[in-house]
Amino acid sequence: MYDRRKFIKLTAVTASLATLSKYATAKTITSAPGDRLPIVISTWDFGIAANKEAWKTLEKGGRALDAVEAGVKIPEADMKNHTVGRAGYPDRDGRVTLDACIMDEFGNCGSVAAMENIAHPIAVARLVMEKTPHVMLVGDGATQFAVEQGIKKEKLLTPESEKAWKKWLVTAKYSPKMNIENEQHRPGSKYNHDTIGMLAIDAKGNISGACTTSGMAFKLHGRVGDSPIIGAGLFVDNEIGGATSTGVGEEVIRNVGSFLVVELMRQGYSPEDACKEAVHRIIKKKPETAKEIQVGFLAINKKGEYGAYAIQEGFSFAVCDKNKQDLLIPGKSFYKDDKNK
Ligand code: ASP
């Protein structure tokens, strides 16, 4: 039977979708393959080694998705890296819980959060994307799924991490605000938020991204930040570009940061200006909190133009393309570079 109300609803949805897609098409950025592409960018100085690994796939004409997965596995495996992967610092109960997500050129995505005993969360995130009808698995369910997929369970707490945790337990001051718990491990950097977020465009012009972290050191057990949340820690739209973030995840989630950056690029913002605007939104909502925290965004558009912006000084990002494989660029920041602050 004809249902008028349903019809009206449907017509309204179709009409708004038509408006939306017209808008999206109008703003689509046309790529210039062969010019800047392929290219891979990622957060922080450890992004250099990660990019080099990703480049091995990209230079052979491989897919951006394979490149970002291979790339972020480098810091995930690094025993000296206490903010990503297997040697990540534990939570306040001494448990290492890892978060990661991945997104491809078709808008497919997969994610794991608060997962224990698996050294490469990014590989599990990709398996969630490719082997399940779901986007996100958490905690024991994520570990169980990884094991079912043939991934080995391991004890992740390294002697060094255990030592640092025991030292932290002496005062057990729970102050995740500045996220400078990691400071001692990255000498010279005051604000240290060390998630790896990576964005790559392959020779065909397709974009993928990956993001992986052990989150805030000594966090509450079960705490999950922005990094495994699609739209917060990572977002890719193959028509427009991609964005990723690092820093105090709670503020990124509150502002759906990476999605916001990509949508701003859709409206015509350059990657740097889009990151800057996303940082401004965070500051505007909580000016007092923002003084004490770090958040950094990194973005790339379909043409391979990239940019970054952070709240505090000290955020850097690595770039790798056919011209240079180990470029490290200091990102601009609100407190150092914004004249209107
Ligand atoms: N964004 C991460 C989180 O909130 C932490 C970081 O980048 O340092 O879990």
Side-chain angles (χ1 to χ4, degrees):
M1 209 177 48
Y2 179 69
D3 180 336
R4 189 169 173 273
R5 275 175 61 199
K6 224 190 222 165
F7 174 74
I8 293 173
K9 252 197 198 153
L10 214 88
T11 320
V13 171
T14 319
S16 61
L17 280 178
T19 326
L20 265 178
S21 66
K22 204 167 112 199
Y23 184 67
T25 315
K27 296 289 176 186
T28 297
I29 299 167
T30 33
S31 70
D35 181 8
R36 284 193 175 80
L37 310 184
I39 184 167
V40 55
I41 62 174
S42 57
T43 54
W44 301 111
D45 47 2
F46 50 57
I48 295 176
N51 285 354
K52 278 189 188 163
E53 187 63 27
W55 184 250
K56 290 181 190 163
T57 299
L58 294 175
E59 72 174 340
K60 286 192 298 218
R63 189 176 169 204
L65 182 71
D66 295 323
V68 294
E69 183 189 359
V72 302
K73 277 183 173 164
I74 297 296
E76 279 187 345
D78 182 352
M79 295 303 278
K80 290 197 203 74
N81 188 322
H82 297 299
T83 57
V84 178
R86 81 161 329 295
Y89 276 165
D91 62 22
R92 67 178 193 171
D93 299 344
R95 295 162 74 161
V96 180
T97 66
L98 303 180
D99 304 331
C101 72
I102 194 159
M103 192 160 187
D104 75 7
E105 70 270 32
F106 303 109
N108 297 315
C109 45
S111 156
V112 289
M115 184 177 66
E116 293 181 72
N117 301 113
I118 303 288
H120 285 296
I122 199 65
V124 189
R126 181 161 177 181
L127 287 166
V128 172
M129 174 173 96
E130 291 179 341
K131 307 266 185 209
T132 80
H134 308 301
V135 166
M136 190 166 195
L137 291 179
V138 305
D140 290 349
T143 307
Q144 186 187 330
F145 169 72
V147 171
E148 281 165 12
Q149 292 296 316
I151 297 176
K152 199 172 90 233
K153 251 173 127 174
E154 303 175 49
K155 178 176 176 267
L156 298 185
L157 189 67
T158 65
E160 211 184 342
S161 300
E162 189 167 8
K163 205 170 139 205
W165 169 60
K166 290 201 166 136
K167 191 173 162 211
W168 175 81
L169 279 178
V170 175
T171 51
K173 193 168 167 281
Y174 192 61
S175 172
K177 253 198 328 190
M178 303 264 295
N179 198 13
I180 54 168
E181 294 91 351
N182 309 324
E183 191 177 339
Q184 63 223 43
H185 295 273
R186 307 283 306 280
S189 171
K190 186 173 175 207
Y191 298 99
N192 225 326
H193 305 261
D194 300 357
T195 293
I196 183 147
M198 177 178 277
L199 302 159
I201 312 185
D202 59 33
K204 291 190 180 131
N206 287 324
I207 313 170
S208 289
C211 188
T212 173
T213 191
S214 53
M216 284 185 186
F218 320 128
K219 61 197 174 188
L220 281 177
H221 181 63
R223 179 265 182 191
V224 172
D226 58 321
S227 308
I229 312 278
I230 297 294
L234 177 73
F235 195 70
V236 168
D237 180 327
N238 206 44
E239 285 189 345
I240 304 299
T244 188
S245 63
T246 180
V248 177
E250 283 72 6
E251 298 312 320
V252 179
I253 296 173
R254 287 186 180 109
N255 291 277
V256 200
S258 292
F259 180 73
L260 173 62
V261 171
V262 172
E263 287 306 299
L264 289 166
M265 290 195 290
R266 190 192 303 278
Q267 290 170 26
Y269 281 65
S270 71
E272 184 182 303
D273 285 347
C275 294
K276 187 175 176 179
E277 174 60 21
V279 160
H280 281 172
R281 299 262 178 112
I282 292 174
I283 297 169
K284 204 171 148 198
K285 278 191 198 155
K286 292 191 173 194
E288 287 314 307
T289 313
K291 280 184 194 150
E292 298 184 323
I293 63 161
Q294 175 65 307
V295 169
F297 290 106
L298 175 65
I300 193 160
N301 68 18
K302 187 78 177 166
K303 292 190 227 166
E305 295 165 343
Y306 51 80
Y309 209 83
I311 299 179
Q312 315 285 347
E313 192 183 354
F315 174 48
S316 57
F317 64 99
V319 178
C320 170
D321 63 12
K322 60 178 176 294
N323 302 317
K324 203 162 167 41
Q325 269 90 63
D326 57 358
L327 193 61
L328 187 70
I329 302 181
K332 289 190 190 153
S333 69
F334 179 75
Y335 280 107
K336 180 161 177 277
D337 303 291
D338 194 321
K339 308 240 170 339
N340 306 316
K341 67 177 167 284

